[in-house]
Amino acid sequence: AGTFLEEGLAAVTELFEQYASEPVANLVDLQRGLRSAPIVALDTPAVVLVGSPNVGKSSIVRHISSGTPEVNNYPFTTRGMTLGHVEVFWSDNDTVARAVIPQLDRKPGALAEDVILGKYAFSQLCQVMDSPGLLVRPENERNEMEALTMAAMQHLPTAVMFVMDLSGGAGDRCSHVADQLKLRRDIRARFPRRPWIDVVSKYDLDVVPGALEELQEIRDTEEAAPSAYVKLSVHEDIGVDELRNHVLRVLGEVRVVLDAMLAVDTRTMRRDAGQ
């Protein structure tokens, strides 16, 4: 009996290694990835930072939110979505008053002390998302990281902060200034109605001659909703307050859209319930 048991176990083990070992290992890897993936609240305003690799998106996320993405001076540092938060306070249903970077242990559903004290009508933990860099290439040639960035803009309730490094220091191989400007034109054409902020980062490093003029020409001639434009250096504190103000504004615009969508869903549920 013992011999038969050993032979049976050996046969099952061989079958497992042959047919099931790799799928099970893939499932384990998927589970680990899901555990570390950020949880995006679909009913909460968000702004997603988009641009070529190595243009300074992660540094901006660290500077204006609770997010802590990895920052390095080489392309493709960001290999997934990184989520930070900014707590936005409203004086009334339509007026944004101020924003603060919340503590990491701040719970989304908890009332802020200033709201309890009556200083503000309400507050909301809004989302700031760092995304993998995009390259100038057809959609069917994009890798999984790029597809993740495109999906965030296409399917999530987000405003877009498009970040460019026009100093020439982002790297010619994947973030040449001409490629960044073409990418900016292409992405804005695809999402013309999204609340939008153009950011020229690392402005303390100067700008390639003619790049700002070409960007302005793109902005002037495109068929899209008007958008903000900020020249930024987080290291020299250039444009930081201006950027924060624009982020508050676009988060407020996204909230208006989300409230309208919620109202439609509520009316639909009531209508269906009455049938």
Side-chain angles (χ1 to χ4, degrees):
T3 302
F4 290 144
L5 179 60
E6 291 178 2
E7 291 177 352
L9 288 174
V12 170
T13 301
E14 183 179 354
L15 288 172
F16 177 84
E17 293 292 340
Q18 184 175 357
Y19 295 107
S21 178
E22 183 175 352
V24 169
N26 290 338
L27 285 174
V28 172
D29 289 341
L30 177 60
Q31 181 187 37
R32 290 171 180 165
L34 290 174
R35 283 181 177 177
S36 62
I39 300 175
V40 179
L42 299 181
D43 60 348
T44 302
V47 56
V48 58
L49 281 75
V50 178
S52 298
N54 203 33
V55 296
K57 300 185 294 296
S58 298
S59 294
I60 296 174
V61 170
R62 280 179 167 268
H63 215 72
I64 67 171
S65 79
S66 62
T68 56
E70 182 180 355
V71 176
N72 285 299
N73 189 29
Y74 54 80
F76 301 108
T77 301
T78 303
R79 292 176 289 274
M81 302 300 292
T82 303
L83 192 65
H85 291 89
V86 55
E87 185 162 14
V88 181
F89 292 82
W90 273 266
S91 298
D92 53 47
N93 199 49
D94 301 313
T95 308
V96 175
R98 72 183 184 101
V100 298
I101 297 176
Q103 298 294 322
L104 293 178
D105 59 354
R106 176 80 166 87
K107 296 181 179 180
L111 285 177
E113 182 178 355
D114 284 349
V115 174
I116 296 174
L117 294 175
K119 295 181 180 180
Y120 303 99
F122 62 94
S123 70
Q124 191 171 23
L125 282 179
C126 296
Q127 302 166 117
V128 180
M129 304 170 61
D130 188 17
S131 67
L134 296 174
L135 302 181
V136 176
R137 53 183 170 188
E139 290 299 312
N140 60 359
E141 295 181 9
R142 295 198 181 281
N143 59 36
E144 293 180 356
M145 293 188 296
E146 293 176 281
L148 186 62
T149 299
M150 298 302 295
M153 289 184 284
Q154 186 170 357
H155 300 296
L156 297 179
T158 63
V160 175
M161 184 192 302
F162 193 90
V163 183
M164 296 159 279
D165 174 5
L166 303 183
S167 69
D172 288 346
R173 185 175 64 86
C174 55
S175 301
H176 189 278
V177 168
D179 287 343
Q180 292 185 58
L181 292 171
K182 184 178 188 310
L183 182 67
R184 158 61 178 79
R185 187 195 300 270
D186 293 346
I187 298 298
R188 185 55 168 158
R190 182 165 177 177
F191 302 98
R193 299 181 62 185
R194 286 295 176 107
W196 188 281
I197 308 170
D198 279 322
V199 175
V200 176
S201 68
K202 307 180 187 180
Y203 195 65
D204 54 304
L205 301 180
D206 211 350
V207 173
V208 169
L212 291 179
E213 291 78 7
E214 185 174 350
L215 172 60
Q216 190 60 54
E217 181 180 356
I218 292 172
R219 289 173 51 83
D220 291 340
T221 58
E222 64 190 1
E223 296 181 2
S227 60
Y229 172 27
V230 179
K231 299 171 183 175
L232 180 76
S233 168
V234 296
H235 298 295
E236 299 294 334
D237 201 28
I238 299 171
V240 175
D241 288 340
E242 181 184 1
L243 178 61
R244 289 193 178 112
N245 290 334
H246 285 306
V247 168
L248 288 183
R249 176 182 56 78
V250 297
L251 287 172
E253 293 177 14
V254 174
R255 178 178 164 266
V256 169
V257 174
L258 287 173
D259 286 350
M261 293 170 60
L262 177 61
V264 170
D265 290 343
T266 301
R267 288 196 299 268
T268 301
M269 287 188 295
R270 289 174 178 172
R271 182 197 63 200
D272 293 344
Q275 292 179 352

